[in-house]
Amino acid sequence: MLIHPVLGLAAWLATAGMLTWAFDLSSSSNFVVYWGQSSAGSQKPLAEYCKDATVDAIALSFLYQFPNTMLDLSASCRTTFPDSQLLHCPDVATDIKYCQSQGKIVLLSMGGAAGSYGFSSDAQAQAYADTVWNTFLAGNSTQRPFDDAVLDGVDLDIEGGSTTGYAAYIAQLRTRFAAGGGKQFYITGAPQCPFPDAMLGSTLNSAWFDMVFVQFYNNYCGLDAYPKGFNYDTWDQWAKTQAVNKNVKLFIGAPGSQSAAGRGYVDAPTLNAIVGDVRSKYTSLGGVMTWDASQAMGGSAWGQSVSSSLKGGLVKTQARRRRRR
C-alpha cells in the first residue's frame, strides 16, 4: 500500500502517541474555539481543551470594555485586584502557559455582542494598544490579569460602538510586536459574513490581519445557505485583492451546537463536506472557528469530529490511543 510520505508519518506518530498537533498559520487544518463566556451554561477549565490535538487556537472572550479595561470570563475567574474591578486570574494564567506548551496559541478577544467599547480617536486607540501590550502581551504592568503569561495576540470581535481607531490600534500593536523579542504575535478579526462588515469593513481594508474568522451564522450568507447563499467566495476575493496581507487566512466560523446561534448551525458531517468543498477551491482557507468551546465540546463530539476531519483523522487516532492507556 502506498502511503503519503508526510501524512503517513504523521499518522504513525499519532498512533505511537508521539504527535502533538500544533497551530500552523500556513495550514488549512486549524480548529479555533472561543472560550470564556460559557454560552452552554458551563465550561471546562481552559487547560482541559488543550489536552489533545482537537483545538489549535483559543480566543479568550471577552475584553468587553475598553479603553476602560474590563475583562469577563464568566465563572472561570471572579477574583479582582485589590481596589480594582480588573480581574486577576492566576489559574487561567497557568492554563494559558500549559496550552502554549502544547503548541496552541491563545488570543485575547476584544469586543463581543454585549459590551461598552470603542475609541474616540486614532490617538486614543494607539495609546490603548500600548495598554494592551503591557497588560496582556509582552510588556510590563503592575496589574496583569494573567500575571506572567504572555498571550499570542489580539482578536477583534467588534459588533458595536464606533468604527474609529482600529486601524491605528493595529498599527501601534504591530510596532510593539516588531520589538517583542522574536515571539510571534497575531492579529485576528471576526467579522459577520455580510460583505463588507458594518463594523470592521474599513479596518479590514487598511490594516494587517493574520487571520479572519468570518462568522457564517446569524445571517443570510451563513452555512445554512450553502451552496447558493454561502459567500465564502466573496471573502476569498477580498483576501486576494483588497486585504493588506494578501496571505491572510480565512476561517469558516460555525456555531458549535444548535443553541449556539439563532441560525447557521449545521451538523458535523455537513460542515465537513462544506469545508472539503472550500478547501478544494480556495487556498485562503485556514480552518474552522467555532462559537464556543462549551457548545462545540460539551456533551457532543461535534468539535472533535470537525477537527478530526480537518486533520485527516489524527484527532480520533490520539483519542483512541489515550483511552487504551
Side-chain angles (χ1 to χ4, degrees):
M1 179 176 65
L2 294 175
I3 299 176
H4 187 285
V6 175
L7 294 182
L9 176 61
W12 181 86
L13 290 172
T15 304
M18 298 166 60
L19 177 67
T20 299
W21 199 277
F23 171 79
D24 179 1
L25 182 60
S26 67
S27 171
S28 63
S29 302
N30 296 298
F31 187 61
V32 180
V33 299
Y34 281 78
W35 176 90
Q37 287 306 292
S38 188
S39 69
S42 63
Q43 65 188 5
K44 300 174 186 176
L46 178 63
E48 291 297 312
Y49 299 101
C50 298
K51 289 184 174 180
D52 65 17
T54 305
V55 173
D56 302 292
I58 299 165
L60 305 181
S61 53
F62 286 109
L63 181 64
Y64 73 100
Q65 285 190 24
F66 58 85
N68 176 32
T69 303
M70 292 290 286
L71 186 67
D72 181 81
L73 297 175
S74 189
S76 293
C77 181
R78 297 293 195 194
T79 58
T80 60
F81 288 101
D83 302 319
S84 172
Q85 293 183 314
L86 182 63
L87 291 181
H88 182 210
C89 313
D91 290 343
V92 178
T94 299
D95 286 0
I96 290 168
K97 289 187 281 189
Y98 171 75
C99 290
Q100 291 170 329
S101 76
Q102 299 303 297
K104 326 295 185 182
I105 64 168
V106 185
L107 309 167
L108 175 68
S109 187
M110 300 174 57
S116 177
Y117 53 82
F119 303 120
S120 60
S121 67
D122 284 357
Q124 185 184 56
Q126 290 167 333
Y128 194 65
D130 291 337
T131 297
V132 168
W133 175 257
N134 289 323
T135 307
F136 298 100
L137 302 176
N140 295 289
S141 174
T142 56
Q143 293 186 342
R144 287 177 56 92
F146 307 124
D147 295 330
D148 62 345
V150 177
L151 296 178
D152 296 293
V154 171
D155 172 60
L156 296 179
D157 182 13
I158 307 304
E159 302 187 32
S162 168
T163 61
T164 299
Y166 290 107
Y169 171 81
I170 291 170
Q172 179 63 15
L173 269 184
R174 284 178 54 76
T175 298
R176 289 289 197 169
F177 293 174
K183 176 179 170 64
Q184 178 70 58
F185 293 97
Y186 302 93
I187 298 288
T188 71
Q192 309 288 314
C193 63
F195 185 88
D197 181 73
M199 298 306 304
L200 277 179
S202 61
T203 303
L204 287 167
N205 286 339
S206 57
W208 179 284
F209 285 84
D210 296 288
M211 295 170 274
V212 174
F213 308 143
V214 184
Q215 298 182 46
F216 287 108
Y217 48 92
N218 289 335
N219 276 295
Y220 63 87
C221 43
L223 290 161
D224 56 338
Y226 176 87
K228 291 184 178 180
F230 177 65
N231 69 340
Y232 187 97
D233 58 336
T234 300
W235 284 96
D236 177 77
Q237 181 71 9
W238 166 80
K240 301 283 178 42
T241 64
Q242 293 179 262
V244 175
N245 173 17
K246 297 300 188 295
N247 293 314
V248 62
K249 284 294 187 177
L250 302 179
F251 285 67
I252 297 175
S257 73
Q258 190 75 53
S259 61
R263 62 176 290 187
Y265 171 76
V266 295
D267 61 25
T270 301
L271 179 57
N272 295 341
I274 294 172
V275 170
D277 181 45
V278 170
R279 181 184 263 164
S280 71
K281 296 175 181 176
Y282 305 105
T283 58
S284 58
L285 183 68
V288 169
M289 171 277 285
T290 189
W291 176 267
D292 67 347
S294 68
Q295 300 273 1
M297 302 171 67
S300 77
W302 185 94
Q304 187 182 70
S305 175
V306 172
S307 179
S308 179
S309 178
L310 281 167
K311 297 172 174 61
L314 294 183
V315 174
K316 290 181 180 177
T317 301
Q318 284 196 336
R320 288 195 299 268
R321 175 67 177 173
R322 267 187 295 278
R323 285 196 294 269
R324 289 198 295 268
R325 288 175 178 167

